[in-house]
Amino acid sequence: MQQLSVVISGFDHYDDVRVNPSYEVPKALAEKGVDGLDDVELAISAVSLPVSFAKAWPTLRETIEATHPNIVIATGLKHAARGVMLERCATNLMDAAKPDVDNMTPRRAPIDPNGPAAYWTRLPLRSILADFTRDGIPATLSSDAGTFVCNSLFYNLLNWASGQDKVLAGFVSFPLINESRHPQHGLPLRHLVTAGADVVRDSVRYYRRPTSGDILIA
Ligand code: PCA
């Protein structure tokens, strides 16, 4: 049986957000696993990162170096999102409108002065979106994850992945957790966990059998 390792990261709580869905989802997936995958033994590691330009990526990289993952899925919270946002592109820009947890507010600065302007995600967004439709998860494709810590982490992750032989990596933004029956804003946690499981399952399938039908940049 093939053994594959997946790292899924989220962020610590910040601002006025008591429970950051971007960590609740990785934690639930690491605890419960993901069904629907035959002939594969999946090891899922969840890690929570500080909302810090300087420390988020080094913290994720430590977990990556300890677990040698085949797939890395980073997640974050987008307060204003109605549904799940599948991020297409990481840009080489920090432009913070508020300080991070270290009280740093980088303005109009590159993340890597020698790096390319942007990277496309390496996750199969089209097949993930198709599964979201099947599971009734409201979702959109998004062109960028902003210019705060989420985008910085995404860019550093893809910068690293570009030097690896075969690692899939990408970023998914979650809305707030909202347990009301018909939420106008945000989604119940169980829907977010279903969405996270779809992302892992499709990424594993794509890792094992890349097909020309799954266009990465959707
Ligand atoms: N969202 C922030 C950083 C941490 C998080 O969950 C962002 O949008 O950059």
Side-chain angles (χ1 to χ4, degrees):
M1 188 172 314
Q2 188 178 20
Q3 297 186 334
L4 292 179
S5 160
V6 178
V7 167
I8 171 158
S9 75
F11 281 101
D12 299 345
H13 43 174
Y14 75 113
D15 286 354
D16 51 349
V17 180
R18 236 178 356 99
V19 188
N20 193 336
S22 85
Y23 188 58
E24 294 306 306
V25 174
K27 202 169 64 179
L29 294 175
E31 275 164 17
K32 288 192 220 141
V34 170
D35 56 19
L37 289 167
D38 301 329
D39 311 327
V40 57
E41 207 178 295
L42 213 56
I44 303 179
S45 312
V47 55
S48 184
L49 309 175
V51 184
S52 155
F53 281 101
K55 299 195 202 97
W57 166 239
T59 309
L60 177 55
R61 199 178 50 207
E62 268 174 35
T63 305
I64 289 174
E65 282 164 3
T67 56
H68 303 288
N70 308 95
I71 299 166
V72 185
I73 298 159
T75 75
L77 165 69
K78 282 281 166 280
H79 280 78
R82 155 88 182 86
V84 180
M85 296 169 82
L86 296 170
E87 304 293 351
R88 278 196 269 230
C89 188
T91 61
N92 192 0
L93 176 68
M94 296 183 279
D95 197 13
K98 58 188 174 192
D100 70 3
V101 290
D102 302 323
N103 218 16
M104 299 301 290
T105 314
R107 301 303 308 267
R108 295 183 292 279
I111 296 163
D112 177 352
N114 301 313
Y119 286 105
W120 293 116
T121 186
R122 293 179 162 214
L123 300 182
L125 301 191
R126 276 159 60 99
S127 54
I128 295 169
L129 207 53
D131 280 6
F132 282 0
T133 305
R134 182 202 60 204
D135 291 338
I137 310 283
T140 49
L141 294 169
S142 159
S143 300
D144 67 77
T147 53
F148 194 52
V149 178
C150 284
N151 174 66
S152 242
L153 177 74
F154 187 16
Y155 186 89
N156 280 310
L157 171 61
L158 292 187
N159 220 359
W160 167 83
S162 69
Q164 303 299 310
D165 239 9
K166 194 185 176 193
V167 176
L168 293 187
F171 197 98
V172 177
S173 298
F174 289 120
L176 285 164
I177 296 171
N178 183 341
E179 299 295 347
S180 56
R181 270 175 76 83
H182 301 289
Q184 292 301 308
H185 197 77
L187 289 171
L189 181 59
R190 66 181 191 287
H191 289 189
L192 298 178
V193 173
T194 301
D198 285 346
V199 175
V200 172
R201 197 179 304 106
D202 279 318
S203 301
V204 168
R205 286 187 183 141
Y206 186 76
Y207 182 90
R208 301 178 79 200
R209 273 183 289 280
T211 60
S212 54
D214 286 334
I215 298 164
L216 289 177
I217 60 175

